[in-house]
């Protein structure tokens, strides 16, 4: 089982969207029994909450399930459990590395896997642009799945 964790700040906008989109793609590829997926935030303000209504609306628009998703905060244990830990921006990356310390996981930024002028997923909590987030997350998820299949020899 390959384990993948998406991390943002609040775990209500970007990383839940990445979790839902990636899970949808993994399921469509018939690989859901081989890849475990979750998301978490570096902050604790929204722990226990459902994703932001902008994320929920975007997922509904595209027929992507968010069932059972509630915000949680990263823990040191995540750094040991997951094989791939994917941060939405540089600040998430720095903060999560402080919490995880030494980790054997492959740690990367969401947009590292695609060619785009952006290197960080803009935060729609502030921009209000959930469509931009969805477009970036969708494209990066496709590339991330290809990378993981290649590296883990998943067919
Ligand atoms: P996210 O967006 O990190 O993509 O979930 C945010 C959600 C909440 C806050 C900041 C960013 N907040 O400050 O409450």
């Amino acid at each position: 089982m390959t384990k993948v964790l998406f991390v943002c700040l609040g775990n209500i906008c970007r990383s839940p969207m990445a979790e839902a989109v990636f899970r949808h793609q993994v399921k469509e590829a018939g690989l859901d029994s081989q890849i475990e997926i979750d998301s978490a935030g570096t902050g604790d303000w929204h722990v226990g909450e459902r994703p932001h209504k902008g994320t929920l609306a975007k997922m509904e628009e595209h027929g992507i399930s968010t069932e059972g998703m509630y915000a949680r905060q990263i823990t040191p244990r995540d750094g040991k459990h997951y094989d791939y830990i994917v941060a939405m921006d540089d600040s998430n990356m720095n903060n999560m590395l402080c919490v995880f310390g030494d980790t054997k996981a492959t740690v990367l930024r969401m947009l590292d896997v695609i060619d785009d002028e952006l290197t960080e997923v803009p935060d729609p909590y502030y921009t209000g642009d959930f469509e931009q987030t969805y477009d970036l997350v969708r494209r990066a998820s496709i590339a991330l799945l290809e990378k993981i299949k290649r590296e883990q020899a998943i067919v």
Side-chain angles (χ1 to χ4, degrees), residues 8-16 45-46 92 123-126:
C8 65
L9 176 56
N11 193 214
I12 55 170
C13 297
R14 294 166 295 171
S15 64
W45 311 286
H46 299 282
N92 308 150
D123 194 339
Y125 190 76
Y126 302 111

Side-chain angles (χ1 to χ4, degrees), residues 50-118:
R50 290 278 291 146
H52 189 284
K53 62 182 188 317
T55 289
L56 290 177
K58 215 24 98 181
M59 295 301 87
E60 194 170 325
E61 184 183 325
H62 294 281
I64 296 174
S65 172
T66 59
E67 196 187 334
M69 289 174 51
Y70 295 90
R72 72 169 180 92
Q73 189 175 26
I74 57 168
T75 69
R77 187 181 164 276
D78 291 322
K80 299 188 169 57
H81 182 73
Y82 289 94
D83 302 300
Y84 292 86
I85 306 180
V86 187
M88 296 299 129
D89 63 32
D90 293 339
S91 163
N92 308 150
M93 175 68 91
N94 291 335
N95 291 332
M96 76 185 194
L97 288 177
C98 285
V99 172
F100 298 151
D102 249 358
T103 174
K104 281 193 272 200
T106 298
V107 170
L108 68 158
R109 292 177 304 183
M110 191 74 186
L111 300 188
D112 289 345
V113 293
I114 57 169
D115 279 329
D116 194 279
E117 60 193 13
L118 294 175

